[in-house]
């Protein structure tokens, strides 16, 4: 909503500087998003109100003329112009006149480009100044002709003084429907600056109010639920033409384009009062038999559209309407989509002489639905959609009829037709000072509260400490005591509100182990050198499909799918973090060679028979590139592989105290064959990791180097974590370490070997460390050698060499017996 | 005779300390523990020559000495076997250190943790609720029936007409109230939210929000102001000022925007605060009576405040970040700047 200050001053005096006023309005809820100074760039020394004293023919060019302009110096100046709206012989028009050195906007340029006016010769005629178009002055985009000012504009006065202005641009929240008008804004400013609005007085036409049918029109509201009120006036014998400059300027400043005096009046009154209006060409409206005036009496029927009913709107678009669209129809069919847009057929045009003004009230939800469905975001629909009080129709119809009479030379026909089937109830809301204190935390007395409410035009009666406030008709947003409390708070001033800390009962405090666990996992992984990523939860099936090359494409039914995605790239809620994490790896590899990322986030699993999906948390890790950053101390660049990631997994499980862990080889489409494992904790499989399959790598545009990837179920992982870990005493007695090299069949997994060693070693064996894996001479083909360092210790005494040798031998024997392992010589 | 053992022990220990390399240590071993002529071996061999009554005590002492020296020997052996790593020459202390592989927390998570800590001190606990939410909870129970004009404030992703991606964390107000009814409540609800908005420097279609909710028998708007002042000062610095600006949310009444004096210019006016001297940090208000009632609390007895804050916005202000798109594009050059 754009509010020109010059217009606002019609209703109130401005007692504060603009910036201060804007700040007060903003604090009171009318957010001033911008303050625009119109004409601030017009140099007061160089740009003036000029008067054309003569227009001569250019000696050398048919399209150019020479305008002689007086601008207060007594020495008129001759300038060359190509403007089509002044002709040879014209005299007396007031125009904006720029002299040498003025900064103006280039009227021929698409972009905003300033230039400094210099004297020049145009086709042999010297020109030292310029008559300006609206575009050249930065008022609008109009560069059709020069701007013509009011006849009474004072010649020689700096243009900035004459028509410079300030426009407040308001960002209105949906509850401020009442401020979608100059009068509404003026009421607010009045309350904030303790004054009353001047809303103008004009003779009441009330004695003629109230008849739905008059000799010149018949009104019928078929659907009063959607149209509580329909009011109409008739103005005869108007002369269609341009509106006067002051009106055009106000419309332009308010952001609307002037069209003709009739349409401009409807828009002007809408901007002034917030009541959208529509002007019909009365002579095109038909009676019940389809006959137009003068013989027929037109009928206006407000009804819902019939199925697939058609009409052509003002913009020339043919539209098929649905049954919940509210229409204005006459005896011949639809003439307007109620509150949204008029029809092409009954539009006011140049030949129109008689105008029927519609000032009606429509159900806001119905208008919003229609406007959204037809994608017509008109100014009228914007206001109706937020809510307009039905009391306004009469004020607006009278105001607009009078303005048309004044500006288009018409006469107002006897009577105002008014069908008003649904009248709103007067709302009375009770409030006490105690309730204000309970919610705001400030003690105001009843008189203070009443005085604030009265400044906002609430009529208050105090009965036994209870304030009974009658809500003004235009306050559709107020219906309960809390609404009144907000009014009190914002006028009293939030800056005067004290700052206190809650002294209410503190709720019982409980630890959130689920969140703590998640945060712990983050810390552990950061400690492992991984950086945390957060990727979008929305993706596409193609991306998920890349994780399973050659597999069946993902079934859309398995996914939460948006019905209105922004792009098809972000249409489905993920069921895995792997795809988006690999994409993050790819993006980072463009400028770095080493990437190690993790993400903790939710996945979304639709549940049959349930409205909402499950949203369990997952953990994903992706690593690729050199294991270490390059430096003068890094001997050899090695690339990250499976075992780097496994080290991270083991660290994670170890730090979470999950000792019962095991890994088993698995074939998984995302990972290369023979290069992936499942993770089991306490016999529950919680995830999978491995080296990404080359085909998957290629489809994600990843380079040909190992990419280690993991995804696990964070819920399952954390479910295994015991809240408390218990201390194991540290033995005071010395430990003895002995190495054992074993030769086994290639297919024997290391974990099996280690499990056996531990079982055979029993209590005395406290640590098993694999420190070498070897294949090749002298180990026979099909075999491998694994070398372990075994640490023995007794909890309560020093072990003797003999005891150690005995256990060591027992282990070797057991291994030989169970899997044919031989000690390497 | 036992004194003899003690003397030998002292002598051996001195010699052990003197052995400064492995060959010397081996010599020591031969001298004291050698099987043929070692001093301790000889001591043990001399037992049969002693009077019978002295043998047990002497034998035990000698055996203990043997065990003790054996253990000392092994320890010394281990010590001397370690490769010599000590550097003696001067080093260039200006050479860079050996790189450590570093990880970092995402900036959003770091910011959330700060918020948990600050609000935690005031008794607010964390609760989490679904991201895919019903229209009923996201809108209707928050005073926005279908086609309500306020719905325009949130451009919404729909799964179907009854299910949306939550546009704010506020549906959690209802969920938490229903969970705790009618105990007093002090909670914060963090999580991802989604809006049908083109991605620009100022807006993302996915972002985090932290909802705050306090419900009790004596909660006022002044308490909300105090809570916001406390938060702003702990998060942004002890001399921050906070102001309330009247605003509108269908689920709070009165509703306010909470502004803080601009941390960049201190209120003088700059690019960050759009020359107003103030920056918006959250939307807030007193929980609407209907919403309290929808959550199961009698609005005549209970009152409450709620606020909704964007951790990205907090981080952007705090760290002078001018583009929200950095947060979820996961560029390591961005992520590595924090934490």
């Amino acid at each position: 909503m754009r509010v020109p200050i010059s217009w606002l001053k019609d209703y109130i005096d401005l007692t504060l500087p603009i910036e201060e006023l804007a700040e007060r309005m903003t604090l009171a809820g009318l957010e001033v998003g911008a303050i625009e100074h119109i004409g601030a760039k017009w140099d007061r020394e160089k740009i003036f109100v000029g008067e054309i004293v003569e227009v001569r023919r250019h000696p050398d060019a048919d399209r150019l003329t020479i305008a002689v302009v007086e601008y207060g110096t007594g020495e008129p100046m001759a300038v060359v112009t190509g403007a089509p709206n002044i002709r040879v012989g014209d005299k007396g028009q007031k125009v904006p006149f720029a002299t040498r050195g003025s900064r103006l906007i280039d009227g021929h340029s698409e972009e905003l480009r300033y230039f400094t006016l210099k004297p020049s010769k145009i086709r042999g005629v010297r020109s030292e100044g310029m008559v300006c178009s609206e575009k050249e002055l930065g008022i609008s985009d109009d560069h059709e002709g020069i701007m013509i000012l009011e006849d009474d504009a004072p010649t020689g006065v700096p243009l900035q003084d004459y028509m410079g202005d300030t426009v407040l641009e308001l960002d209105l929240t949906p509850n401020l429907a009442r401020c979608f008008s100059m009068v509404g804004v003026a009421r607010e400013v009045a309350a904030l600056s303790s004054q009353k609005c001047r809303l103008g007085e004009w003779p009441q036409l009330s004695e003629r109010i109230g008849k739905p049918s008059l000799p010149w029109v018949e009104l019928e509201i078929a659907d009063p639920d959607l149209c509580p009120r329909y009011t109409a006036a008739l103005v005869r014998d108007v002369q269609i033409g341009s509106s006067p400059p002051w009106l055009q300027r106000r419309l332009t400043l308010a952001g609307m384009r002037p069209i003709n005096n009739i349409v401009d009046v409807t828009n002007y009154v809408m901007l002034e009062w917030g009541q959208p209006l529509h002007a019909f060409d009365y002579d095109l409206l038909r009676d019940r038999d389809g006959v137009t005036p003068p013989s027929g009496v037109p009928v206006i029927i407000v009804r819902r559209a019939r199925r697939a009913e058609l009409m052509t709107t003002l913009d020339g678009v043919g539209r098929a309407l649905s049954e919940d669209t509210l229409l204005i129809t006459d005896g011949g069919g639809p003439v307007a989509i109620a509150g949204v847009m008029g029809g092409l057929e009954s539009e006011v045009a140049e030949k129109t002489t008689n105008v029927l003004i519609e000032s009606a009230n429509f159900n806001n939800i119905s208008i919003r639905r229609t406007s959204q469905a037809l994608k017509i975001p008109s100014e009228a629909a914007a206001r109706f959609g937020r809510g307009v009080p039905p009391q306004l129709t009469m004020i607006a119809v009278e105001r607009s009829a009078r303005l048309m009479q004044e500006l288009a030379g018409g006469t107002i026909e006897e009577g105002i037709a008014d069908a008003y089937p649904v009248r709103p109830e007067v709302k009375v809301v009770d409030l006490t000072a105690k309730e204000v204190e309970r919610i705001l935390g400030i003690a105001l007395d009843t008189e203070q509260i009443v005085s604030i409410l009265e400044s906002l035009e609430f009529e208050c009666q105090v009965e036994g400490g209870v304030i009974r406030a009658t809500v003004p008709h235009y306050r559709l947003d107020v219906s309960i005591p809390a609404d009144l409390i907000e009014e009190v708070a914002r006028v009293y001033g939030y800056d005067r509100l004290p700052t206190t800390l809650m002294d209410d009962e503190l709720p019982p405090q409980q630890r959130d182990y689920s969140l703590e666990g998640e945060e712990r996992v983050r810390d552990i992984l950061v400690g492992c050198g991984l950086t945390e990523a957060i990727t979008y939860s929305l993706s596409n099936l193609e991306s998920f499909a890349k994780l399973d090359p050659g597999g069946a494409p993902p079934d859309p039914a398995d996914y939460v799918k948006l019905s209105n995605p922004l792009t098809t790239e972000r249409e489905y809620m993920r069921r895995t973090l792997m795809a988006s994490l690999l994409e993050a790896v790819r993006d980072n590899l463009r400028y770095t060679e080493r990437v190690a990322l993790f993400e903790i986030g939710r996945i979304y699993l639709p549940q049959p028979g349930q409205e909402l999906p499950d949203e369990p948390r997952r953990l994903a890790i992706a690593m690729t590139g050199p294991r270490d950053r390059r430096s003068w101390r890094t001997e050899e660049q090695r690339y990250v592989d499976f075992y780097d990631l496994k080290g991270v997994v083991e660290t994670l499980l170890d730090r979470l105290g999950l000792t019962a862990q095991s890994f088993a080889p698995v074939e998984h489409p995302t990972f290369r064959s023979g290069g992936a494992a499942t993770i089991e904790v306490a016999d529950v499989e919680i995830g999978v990791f491995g080296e990404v399959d080359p085909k998957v790598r290629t489809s994600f545009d990843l380079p040909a180097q190992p990419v280690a990837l993991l995804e696990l179920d964070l819920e399952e992982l954390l479910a295994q974590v015991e809240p408390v870990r218990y201390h194991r005493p540290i033995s005071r007695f010395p430990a003895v370490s002995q190495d054992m090299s074993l030769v086994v069949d290639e297919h024997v997994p290391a974990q099996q070997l280690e499990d056996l060693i531990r079982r055979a070693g029993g209590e005395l064996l406290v640590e098993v460390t694999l420190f070498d894996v070897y294949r090749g001479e002298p180990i026979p083909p099909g075999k491998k050698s694994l070398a372990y360092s075994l640490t023995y210790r007794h909890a309560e005494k020093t072990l003797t060499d003999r005891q150690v040798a005995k256990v060591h031998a027992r282990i070797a024997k057991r291994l030989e017996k169970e899997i044919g392992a031989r000690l390497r010589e | 005779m036992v004194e003899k053992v003690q003397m030998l022990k002292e002598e051996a220990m001195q010699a052990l300390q003197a052995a400064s390399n492995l060959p010397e240590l081996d010599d020591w071993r031969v001298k004291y523990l050698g099987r043929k002529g070692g001093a301790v071996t000889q001591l043990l061999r001399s037992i049969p020559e002693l009077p019978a009554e002295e043998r047990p005590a002497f034998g035990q002492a000698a055996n203990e000495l043997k065990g003790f020296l054996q253990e000392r020997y092994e320890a010394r052996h281990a010590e001397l076997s370690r490769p010599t790593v000590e550097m003696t020459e001067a080093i260039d202390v200006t050479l860079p250190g050996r790189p450590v592989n570093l990880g970092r927390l995402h900036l959003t998570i770091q910011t959330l943790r700060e918020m948990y800590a600050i609000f935690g001190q005031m008794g607010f606990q964390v609760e989490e609720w679904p991201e895919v939410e019903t229209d009923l909870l996201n809108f209707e129970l928050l005073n926005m029936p279908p086609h309500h004009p306020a719905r325009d404030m949130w451009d919404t992703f729909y799964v179907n007409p009854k299910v949306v991606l939550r546009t704010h964390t506020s549906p959690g107000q209802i969920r938490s109230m229903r969970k705790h009814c009618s105990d007093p409540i002090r909670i914060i609800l963090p999580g991802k939210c989604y809006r049908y908005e083109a991605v620009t420097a100022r807006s993302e279609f996915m972002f985090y929000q932290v909802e705050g909710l306090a419900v009790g028998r004596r909660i006022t708007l002044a308490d909300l102001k105090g809570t916001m002042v406390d938060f702003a000062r702990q998060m942004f610095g002890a001399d921050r000022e906070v102001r309330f600006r009247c605003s509108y949310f269908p689920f709070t009444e009165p509703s306010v925007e909470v502004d803080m004096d601009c941390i960049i210019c201190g209120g003088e006016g700059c690019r960050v605060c759009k020359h107003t001297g103030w920056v918006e940090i959250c939307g807030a208000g007193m929980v609407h009576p209907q919403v309290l009632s929808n959550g199961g609390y009698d609005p005549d007895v209970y009152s409450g405040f709620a606020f909704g804050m964007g951790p990205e916005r907090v981080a952007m202000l705090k760290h002078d970040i001018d583009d929200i798109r950095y947060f979820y594009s996961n560029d390591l050059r961005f992520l590595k700047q924090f934490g």
Side-chain angles (χ1 to χ4, degrees), chain A residues 446-480:
Chain A
T446 303
E447 290 72 50
Q448 270 176 298
I449 297 167
V450 166
S451 140
I452 287 172
L453 292 177
E454 282 179 345
S455 77
L456 292 163
E457 300 184 7
F458 288 84
E459 278 172 34
C460 297
Q461 283 183 325
V462 182
E463 289 166 24
V466 178
I467 304 164
R468 312 209 73 201
T470 304
V471 180
H473 70 83
Y474 55 85
R475 292 303 303 264
L476 302 177
D477 59 319
V478 174
S479 52
I480 56 169

Side-chain angles (χ1 to χ4, degrees), chain A residues 790-809:
Chain A
L790 307 180
T791 304
Y792 302 95
R793 179 190 274 132
H794 195 284
E796 281 145 21
K797 63 183 183 193
T798 303
L799 284 174
T800 63
D801 290 352
R802 258 231 318 266
Q803 286 167 310
V804 170
K806 202 173 142 194
V807 184
H808 209 64

Side-chain angles (χ1 to χ4, degrees), chain A residues 500 510 536-537 563 591 604, chain B residues 125 131 158 194 204 223 299 331:
Chain A
T500 56
Q510 277 160 353
Y536 291 130
S537 332
S563 63
Y591 52 82
Y604 310 86
Chain B
Q125 297 188 285
E131 293 169 25
Y158 284 90
Y194 303 83
E204 256 287 6
D223 292 339
D331 188 324

Side-chain angles (χ1 to χ4, degrees), chain A residues 108-127:
Chain A
H108 301 286
S109 170
E110 290 281 313
E111 310 149 39
L112 183 67
R113 189 183 296 156
Y114 282 90
F115 71 97
T116 304
L117 185 62
K118 292 183 198 122
S120 60
K121 258 189 181 178
I122 302 170
R123 291 278 187 113
V125 176
R126 193 168 166 77
S127 186

Side-chain angles (χ1 to χ4, degrees), chain A residues 297-335:
Chain A
V297 173
V299 60
I300 284 179
I301 304 162
V302 188
R303 61 163 170 83
R304 284 179 166 87
R306 305 203 171 97
R307 183 194 294 255
E309 197 162 358
L310 296 170
M311 82 167 289
T312 305
T313 41
L314 272 178
D315 51 6
V317 178
R319 299 177 188 273
L321 305 168
S322 68
E323 282 160 294
D324 48 14
T325 306
L326 188 68
L327 291 181
I328 312 300
T329 66
D330 67 1
V335 291

Side-chain angles (χ1 to χ4, degrees), chain A residues 682-724:
Chain A
D683 296 328
V684 178
E685 187 179 317
I686 62 164
V688 62
F689 69 105
E691 290 179 10
V692 173
D693 184 88
K695 285 199 290 291
V696 176
R697 232 167 42 197
T698 309
S699 65
F700 278 98
D701 290 326
L702 289 162
Q705 67 190 38
V707 177
L709 179 69
L710 165 144
E711 182 166 72
L712 63 74
D713 186 331
L714 194 70
E715 310 294 349
E716 284 287 3
L717 175 73
L718 295 178
Q720 307 297 331
V721 176
E722 298 290 341
V724 180

Side-chain angles (χ1 to χ4, degrees), chain B residues 200-215:
Chain B
T200 68
R202 296 265 138 213
S203 74
E204 256 287 6
F205 71 82
M206 181 189 92
F207 54 93
Y208 277 76
Q209 208 174 52
V210 175
E211 191 85 3
L213 176 69
V215 176

